Amino acid sequence: MAHRPLKELMALASPPRAGDFLAGVAARGGGERALAQMELADVPLARFLEEPLIPYERDEVTRLIIDSHDRAAFAEISGMTVGGYRDYILSEAADAAFFARTAAGVTPEMAAACSKLMRAADLAAASAKVSVVTTFRDTLGLPGRFSSRIQPNHPTDDPRGIAAAAVDGLLYGSGDAVIGVNPVSASLPDLSRILHLLSELIERHSIPTQSCVLTHVTDTLELIRRGAPVDLCFQSVAGSEKANRGFGLDLALLAEAREATLSLGRAALGGGNVMYFETGQGSALSSDAAFGVDQQTMEARAYAVCRAFSPFIVNTVLGFMGPEYLANGKEIVRAGLEDHFCGKILGLPMGADVCYTCHISADQDDMDVLLCMLAAGGVTYVMGLPGADDVMLNYQSTSYHDVCWVRRMFGRRPAPEFESWLESFGIVPPDRALLPGAGGDRPAGLLLAGL
Amino acid sequence: MSEKRTGAARAGGAPPAVPAPAGGGGAAGGLRGELRRHTPARVGLDRAGVSLSTRDWLAFKLDHARAADAVRAPFDPERVREELARGGVPSVLLESRARDKDEYLTRPDLGRRLSDASLALLAGEAGRFRGAGSDLLFVVCDGHSARAVPETAAGLILRFFERAAWKPGDLPPCCIVTRGRVAAADEAAHAFKARLVVNLIGERPGLSSPNSLGAYITYGAYPGIQEGERNCISNIRPGGLSPEEAVRRLSYLVESALARRLTGTGLKDDMPEGYLPFAEGRLFID
């Protein structure tokens, strides 16, 4: 029987996505899409190992996926079709141990294919069963836990402004994943100043968290050479060699950056998790580096890049790039659940930047729906911004309040080390109400004294 | 589960004995005031349980509505043309290939190109242009904020000519492009064989900046030039980078780009503190 090429089948089976229409690879209608999904359901998982979507010879991400594939881990699922795999991972038979022992045998394309056959509730149900634990100064991803990044961006990188937003977040119990700043400036002295500010805040108050300045990996390497206090090394990555070159990087550079960051030995708990990666649907297409592969599969391929460097945290950035990639709130919601699912079953500590810009048809209600579903699926962390408004990057993400909301609604708690700190610092009373101000005004005074 | 119930009782009961952010109704004082001295971010917000207070939530909604409206607002290029004409700056009205705002937003490729009619119009203008030289071309695009250009662009151009070494008549007419993206300037620059093109374009609106203008400066622009070969001045608006300061930075980049014959990553914005635009009054003609 003659097969349609997998690349074409995957694109046709992908749920409606603006970027796939832009690239001209999407199904022409719902019927064609549904038939493609049926055809995809019968594809054996093993076929993905024989038919790379981007040629092995042309692309180092494909080579990474194929060369690092763990046949032993794959053995248990090697006889399954995509549809059979979906049924199995949703069944009671698939527990956390199953996902842990098969993760290295799952390729991004297998994960993406499976996700295309799942609805939102399936994606959440499967993700919720996966446990991915990482460590630096605290432990992320433990059962019943939910973490957040404080994102205290400031339009001119003003140190006091960054500190004020960070203190606000700490008083809300945010910040156990990272305190991470997107800088405006690209000058190394400016970046170094921000790193020193964050490290001083963390050290002065013995906060079990880590800092990050989200700049290019080559900047971070230079900052390390100059002796700046780098906790996590950040980089945006994508799912093809060409797209990564557009970001000014290759796998060798990421390996060099990881080694340099590890050499600083700043992770009190060890674990080798020193990288922070961001990804996002549409990034490969935007640099004309998707090779006709659908947007969601390209995103999953970026997770192979992340996985190779044992990251501390990874998050997909959802509605930031614009409506040419994710058209509206509905597409953002769907993409968020797909990305979280694919990242988790590939073994990543997956978080999400639940976000939108003002030029896309989406609003806070859409973000609430996605946040709720991600929380149900056990998302590792989300962003915490003052009032959900990023005054530097000009987009809306989740707020310190939203982090409290998830903890309240789902009974989730911060990372254990951070939770103990919140208690001992007096931000949260011993009953762990985890509400801003519940610990009285002493902690606010202490933190502000450092401003 | 007990922690959830405890939290709920606490939030629903008497206000905690603390100032903002916990305190209901705290105004500009207390922690909120202290934090807001340092940042325009929405720090120190009040809460109702784990939700925002009514006041803070409705303020957010208004800001989002204004920013979203700025994207969708009708753009009136005629108004910009008239304002420029009053200052003696001629202009020509063009359109991109995107036929409406939805197409503009979802098809970036169409917003980067000019319509056939506009290309024909441009060819005619370029044929008639008999200025002293095509050192510099101004392009104005509504971009992502239809408010930014009408509020700021014409004033900025007129202010530039007060300082610049050129008179408006020395340069090609300003091209006002409806539904244009940054690269729409490249075709216009190509038509006039302009050495340098400045595209003043409405930026992606944020909650606190629905009317922010960006200036993209490109040396030797041609259709298909890489984005890395441009310089950008961002956040030009009342309350952001003032038009006065924007003109100073723009003049500096224009002078530097023409002198060094490049823009992009090779041209750093290291304007000296006391820089005066066009102090030497030079024209940059080969």
Side-chain angles (χ1 to χ4, degrees):
Chain A
M1 182 176 144
H3 288 303
R4 215 196 301 244
L6 265 184
K7 180 166 86 171
E8 185 186 327
L9 182 60
M10 291 279 274
L12 294 176
S14 211
R17 204 57 42 93
D20 292 338
F21 289 106
L22 185 63
V25 300
R28 283 176 298 267
E32 186 181 28
R33 181 175 299 110
L35 287 169
Q37 288 169 351
M38 286 177 177
E39 193 178 327
L40 184 60
D42 291 334
V43 169
L45 291 181
R47 193 177 149 198
F48 287 96
L49 300 172
E50 296 150 16
E51 191 185 332
L53 304 193
I54 300 174
Y56 184 91
E57 300 72 28
R58 278 182 69 180
D59 185 85
E60 69 168 357
V61 176
T62 299
R63 291 196 288 280
L64 171 70
I65 292 167
I66 299 294
D67 296 347
S68 66
H69 183 251
D70 184 336
R71 288 270 165 185
F74 182 59
E76 189 173 351
I77 56 173
S78 60
M80 295 182 188
T81 60
V82 176
Y85 180 58
R86 173 191 172 278
D87 286 339
Y88 190 80
I89 64 174
L90 290 169
S91 78
E92 290 75 9
D95 56 9
F98 163 82
F99 288 104
R101 65 176 182 266
T102 53
V106 181
T107 66
E109 289 83 358
M110 294 175 197
C114 183
S115 78
K116 295 180 196 302
L117 309 184
M118 297 170 106
R119 48 185 275 211
D122 302 338
L123 293 165
S127 307
K129 296 200 269 186
V130 187
S131 170
V132 180
V133 176
T134 56
T135 54
F136 196 96
R137 290 194 191 99
D138 57 357
T139 309
L140 301 195
L142 292 169
R145 306 285 171 166
F146 167 75
S147 299
S148 59
R149 164 186 166 191
I150 287 178
Q151 185 171 315
N153 297 343
H154 186 276
T156 59
D157 291 339
D158 179 83
R160 282 195 188 83
I162 289 171
V167 165
D168 196 34
L170 289 169
L171 292 172
Y172 276 72
S174 277
D176 48 341
V178 64
I179 304 176
V181 175
N182 300 88
V184 182
S185 171
S187 100
L188 291 169
D190 289 346
L191 302 179
S192 183
R193 251 190 300 281
I194 301 172
L195 277 172
H196 280 284
L197 165 83
L198 297 178
S199 112
E200 197 185 312
L201 178 70
I202 288 170
E203 278 167 28
R204 176 185 297 173
H205 301 297
S206 305
I207 310 172
T209 190
Q210 31 288 323
S211 68
C212 188
V213 168
L214 285 76
T215 185
H216 193 265
V217 67
T218 50
D219 291 337
T220 304
L221 270 169
E222 183 54 32
L223 287 164
I224 290 172
R225 282 187 203 108
R226 296 185 184 187
V230 172
D231 286 347
L232 299 178
C233 174
F234 171 83
Q235 183 55 47
S236 293
V237 296
S240 72
E241 180 178 340
K242 184 181 177 192
N244 283 328
R245 291 213 186 277
F247 281 139
L249 64 104
D250 58 18
L251 298 177
L253 180 62
L254 292 177
E256 183 191 346
R258 177 169 184 265
E259 285 308 312
T261 313
L262 273 174
S263 76
L264 299 179
R266 294 175 61 84
L269 302 182
N273 309 128
V274 296
M275 302 300 285
Y276 173 9
F277 293 118
E278 277 190 348
T279 63
Q281 290 194 23
S283 60
L285 182 61
S286 74
S287 55
D288 190 27
F291 302 96
V293 176
D294 69 87
Q295 169 173 307
Q296 188 254 331
T297 302
M298 285 307 292
E299 168 71 7
R301 285 171 56 93
Y303 304 154
V305 175
C306 302
R307 181 161 73 167
F309 302 99
S310 307
F312 179 65
I313 43 175
V314 178
N315 65 260
T316 171
V317 181
L318 290 156
F320 185 75
M321 291 187 63
E324 59 265 44
Y325 303 105
L326 295 172
N328 49 38
K330 182 178 169 68
E331 289 192 8
I332 291 174
V333 167
R334 170 83 207 179
L337 297 171
E338 291 165 348
D339 293 351
H340 177 239
F341 163 81
C342 289
K344 277 284 166 71
I345 67 166
L346 290 166
L348 292 178
M350 201 69 197
D353 190 348
V354 174
C355 65
Y356 65 106
T357 58
C358 294
H359 68 297
I360 193 167
S361 302
D363 60 21
Q364 292 298 104
D365 290 338
D366 298 307
M367 299 305 108
D368 292 345
V369 167
L370 176 55
L371 179 63
C372 184
M373 288 297 287
L374 283 170
V379 70
T380 303
Y381 70 103
V382 300
M383 308 303 123
L385 280 78
D389 173 14
D390 192 312
V391 292
M392 194 281 276
L393 291 171
N394 284 339
Y395 78 121
Q396 292 78 249
S397 182
T398 42
S399 67
Y400 302 143
H401 290 65
D402 294 330
V403 173
C404 294
W405 181 89
V406 168
R407 288 181 177 152
R408 161 84 65 86
M409 298 294 284
F410 290 87
R412 298 277 163 74
R413 292 153 55 186
E417 301 86 353
F418 190 82
E419 185 179 43
S420 299
W421 177 80
L422 289 174
E423 280 177 35
S424 68
F425 203 75
I427 289 173
V428 169
D431 65 4
R432 294 176 182 157
L434 283 182
L435 285 171
D441 57 3
R442 184 181 145 271
L446 275 174
L447 288 170
L448 284 172
L451 272 177
Chain B
M1 296 310 275
S2 67
E3 72 192 56
K4 280 169 69 183
R5 274 195 292 277
T6 313
R10 185 176 293 271
V18 278
L31 182 57
R32 183 179 180 120
E34 173 64 23
L35 293 173
R36 289 202 172 190
R37 280 174 44 213
H38 305 294
T39 174
R42 287 166 201 261
V43 289
L45 296 182
D46 295 329
R47 65 179 180 84
V50 289
S51 301
L52 286 175
S53 68
T54 303
R55 177 183 64 160
D56 287 331
W57 163 231
L58 294 181
F60 177 100
K61 285 228 294 185
L62 176 61
D63 288 343
H64 178 243
R66 283 184 172 151
D69 286 350
V71 178
R72 297 277 168 179
F75 173 60
D76 182 5
E78 198 60 51
R79 186 178 141 194
V80 183
R81 193 228 286 266
E82 285 165 13
E83 195 178 341
L84 286 172
R86 281 197 295 276
V89 176
S91 58
V92 48
L93 302 189
L94 306 172
E95 285 188 335
S96 79
R97 288 182 179 266
R99 287 161 301 181
D100 55 40
K101 204 72 181 194
D102 280 321
E103 196 170 64
Y104 166 82
L105 288 171
T106 53
R107 290 290 305 273
D109 52 327
L110 299 180
R112 292 182 193 123
R113 306 277 313 282
L114 296 174
S115 71
D116 288 334
S118 289
L119 284 173
L121 187 66
L122 204 53
E125 288 286 340
R128 276 192 295 281
F129 175 61
R130 294 283 182 268
S134 295
D135 277 333
L136 177 64
L137 169 71
F138 273 105
V139 175
V140 165
C141 296
D142 52 351
H144 278 25
S145 168
R147 278 181 54 186
V149 160
E151 290 181 18
T152 308
L156 194 145
I157 291 172
L158 298 181
R159 199 183 288 268
F160 176 86
F161 278 116
E162 287 172 13
R163 307 277 185 83
W166 304 275
K167 294 183 190 66
D170 298 337
L171 300 177
C174 172
C175 296
I176 305 171
V177 185
T178 300
R179 295 181 296 278
R181 288 191 183 249
V182 172
D186 300 339
E187 283 186 330
H190 194 62
F192 285 109
K193 298 186 173 54
R195 293 175 65 201
L196 194 65
V197 61
V198 174
N199 188 354
L200 301 174
I201 184 167
E203 295 187 314
R204 158 191 289 212
L207 296 198
S208 54
S209 54
N211 52 352
S212 178
L213 190 75
Y216 287 81
I217 303 135
T218 317
Y219 187 88
Y222 55 89
I225 192 170
Q226 294 295 304
E227 293 305 311
E229 296 187 49
R230 308 185 200 280
N231 288 81
C232 177
I233 303 169
S234 187
N235 197 28
I236 305 167
R237 64 181 169 89
L241 184 68
S242 69
E244 293 86 351
E245 185 59 17
V247 164
R248 230 163 68 85
R249 287 203 198 169
L250 178 63
S251 304
Y252 176 75
L253 285 173
V254 164
E255 285 200 277
S256 307
L258 289 174
R260 297 193 47 203
R261 302 178 184 203
L262 61 87
T263 47
T265 44
L267 185 69
K268 295 293 180 205
D269 181 2
D270 44 10
M271 183 176 78
E273 197 110 317
Y275 164 76
L276 287 173
F278 301 98
E280 297 170 34
R282 285 186 287 134
L283 285 177
F284 295 90
I285 299 169
D286 280 324

